[in-house]
Amino acid sequence: MNEPLPGRSVPADTVIAIDGPAGSGKSTTARALAERFGLLYVDSGAMYRALTWAALDRGVSVQDADSLLELFESSDLELDPARRETRVVWDGRDISDQIRTPAIESNVSAVAAHPVIRSAMVDRQRAYARRRGVVMEGRDIGTVVLPDASHKFFITASAEVRARRRLAQQGEVPSEATLESVAADIARRDHIDSSRAVAPLRPAADAIQINTDSLNAEQVTDAVMTHIRGQVR
Ligand code: DC
């Protein structure tokens, strides 16, 4: 749990929704906001990734919604936001590193496309926000999970900039990846995430949109904080 830094506080029940595609910079911003405001940080993508890991580990097909749901409901998934990088624990095992691999990257969109899985995840995500103020990041937080959030942001960047950022991150892309292959993979995932029938990736009508093509992480956080300060009464 984060303690608020002096002089930067927002009400303790503040709920901030941050959505956007992969590589837009939303995770860095969400973590920084949670730290500065002393709010809980919830990485909803990590939940879909964890279930994908468990399915691959146990040989459950990522197309089989009923078996995925059974797997999710019979297991214990914990997000421990105590450290800057959320630790993800599945049935007592820390899988934080295992959920950031190419195998998960290529299967997670299929898991996240099942309506029954989304509904189970949304229930869990709302429960986090009932306990206390949160910064929650994902694809559908402002539109579906927390439509009454105090502040909503939609963080974007061009496909090329996102591919460059992704390539610079160790581990998540195969070692032989090129800018072209990463850009193609991002385009594929964007397409699945934006065209699925339930909760597609799109900005909420009342979200503030920020394009981060020419901004570094600190500038994105500053831009978001400026909006929040302007809106806090
Ligand atoms: O943010 P991320 O890359 O860790 O998300 C992993 C996948 O989960 C991605 O394909 C989109 C999906 N996702 C989703 O559908 N809804 C969310 N709220 C968060 C992630």
Side-chain angles (χ1 to χ4, degrees), residues 17-224:
I18 310 227
D19 290 302
S24 58
K26 66 182 189 308
S27 304
T28 312
T29 305
R31 276 198 298 267
L33 285 178
E35 197 168 321
R36 289 197 199 176
F37 291 140
L39 300 170
L40 185 70
Y41 164 61
V42 178
D43 173 1
S44 66
M47 299 170 67
Y48 291 98
R49 285 171 180 266
L51 179 57
T52 306
W53 172 84
L56 298 182
D57 187 62
R58 274 142 232 203
V60 171
S61 164
V62 295
Q63 306 300 337
D64 181 350
D66 291 343
S67 300
L68 288 170
L69 184 63
E70 198 184 314
L71 177 60
F72 183 60
E73 289 186 334
S74 63
S75 310
D76 180 41
L77 169 63
E78 265 176 69
L79 297 186
D80 173 5
R83 294 195 240 159
R84 194 165 163 75
E85 286 289 327
T86 303
R87 303 317 288 173
V88 179
V89 180
W90 185 278
D91 280 345
R93 174 170 170 194
D94 187 330
I95 55 164
S96 313
D97 295 334
Q98 286 89 331
I99 65 166
R100 313 264 167 214
T101 61
I104 303 298
E105 291 285 317
S106 34
N107 285 288
V108 64
S109 286
V111 171
H114 297 298
V116 290
I117 298 298
R118 299 204 68 82
S119 146
M121 294 283 180
V122 168
D123 286 349
R124 197 74 72 85
Q125 291 152 5
R126 287 184 180 146
Y128 281 115
R130 265 197 297 276
R131 281 187 234 157
R132 46 166 302 188
V134 293
V135 180
M136 194 176 296
E137 66 150 293
R139 303 291 190 288
D140 60 340
I141 309 304
T143 49
V144 175
V145 182
L146 304 172
D148 299 327
S150 337
H151 309 277
K152 296 183 189 179
F153 296 92
F154 194 81
I155 313 281
T156 58
S158 68
E160 192 191 326
V161 166
R162 291 189 286 129
R164 283 189 197 288
R165 290 177 185 160
R166 207 87 210 187
L167 204 54
Q169 279 168 358
Q170 302 271 307
E172 287 192 33
V173 294
S175 50
E176 70 278 10
T178 61
L179 187 59
E180 288 69 33
S181 70
V182 177
D185 191 53
I186 282 185
R188 184 185 66 85
R189 269 182 51 185
D190 280 359
H191 177 72
I192 300 178
D193 292 341
S194 320
S195 61
R196 68 177 170 230
V198 178
L201 170 67
R202 63 173 175 79
D206 50 353
I208 290 165
Q209 298 198 39
I210 298 178
N211 181 297
T212 67
D213 274 1
S214 54
L215 302 177
N216 64 30
E218 200 175 324
Q219 289 169 324
V220 181
T221 305
D222 284 348
V224 169

